[in-house]
Amino acid sequence: MALATDDHVESAPRVIDSPIISADSHITEPGSTYVDHVDPAYRDQAPYLTDEPPDGATFHVPGMRAKIHLGLHSAAGRNSDQLAMKGVPFEGLHRAGWDPEARVEAQERDGLDGEVIYPSVGMLLCNHSDLDLKKALFDGYNRWIAEYCAAAPDRLFGLGQSAMRTPEEGVADLEAIGAAG
């Protein structure tokens, strides 16, 4: 998500009559995304967030060796000298990354009418080797992103995820994602 950093952007006249939709925006999943929305049978395997020095906001994914540091997952609108992968506390991340009301405010400042929103942590979960767990995590994410987008369904367009264990399941996932909004 591009966040306006110059005062003149907000006051600039709009020269395009068509809706302006950002087609490559990302969410910053909060710590509750998976733990609170995954099937309870998988809760002890869900990614969880820690937020302590020196790592800052970091997701840990049981079954995956690498940690997911959120510092660069919320870098839009920041100067390069302000960027850091590690050490950024969750409160230092753009609120618009996880709060739909703040996101709509940012869209209005940036002159956007809507955004197609991709997962961030969820993209890395595509590499998880446990397909059943991946299915449960993606279903949990899909529930969370549907709740997030319900705050402004005419402006927030979240992309769901599918573990696609079979073609039939992939089709069913797409149908469920569509039905969720």
Side-chain angles (χ1 to χ4, degrees), residues 2-167:
L3 298 177
T5 56
D6 297 325
D7 292 334
H8 71 276
V9 174
E10 291 183 45
S11 62
R14 185 163 179 155
V15 295
I16 299 174
D17 292 331
S18 301
I20 300 172
I21 308 293
S22 171
D24 188 15
S25 296
H26 288 263
I27 201 76
T28 302
E29 294 95 325
S32 62
T33 303
Y34 300 98
V35 172
D36 290 355
H37 294 86
V38 73
D39 181 313
Y42 291 93
R43 192 153 289 142
D44 64 337
Q45 299 173 68
Y48 60 93
L49 183 73
T50 58
D51 194 5
E52 301 170 0
D55 286 342
T58 304
F59 266 99
H60 304 264
V61 184
M64 293 181 77
R65 200 171 39 195
K67 298 176 187 177
I68 303 170
H69 300 278
L70 297 184
L72 294 180
H73 288 234
S74 184
R78 299 190 194 252
N79 292 325
S80 61
D81 62 344
Q82 298 174 318
L83 300 179
M85 182 177 292
K86 297 179 182 180
V88 180
F90 195 81
E91 68 184 35
L93 303 175
H94 282 299
R95 186 173 188 90
W98 53 269
D99 178 331
E101 293 173 9
R103 188 150 204 141
V104 170
E105 290 172 10
Q107 288 177 352
E108 290 169 353
R109 278 192 311 272
D110 291 348
L112 294 175
D113 297 299
E115 292 176 273
V116 177
I117 304 171
Y118 294 81
S120 294
V121 172
M123 285 187 1
L124 299 171
L125 295 178
C126 291
N127 297 317
H128 205 291
S129 61
D130 183 332
L131 293 178
D132 295 332
L133 175 60
K134 189 183 326 186
K135 167 70 171 151
L137 296 176
F138 288 174
D139 287 349
Y141 172 82
N142 293 344
R143 285 188 282 278
W144 180 82
I145 195 69
E147 290 174 10
Y148 178 92
C149 292
D154 58 330
R155 298 182 72 112
L156 303 173
F157 311 107
L159 294 180
Q161 292 192 275
S162 173
M164 193 98 142
R165 296 177 297 186
T166 67

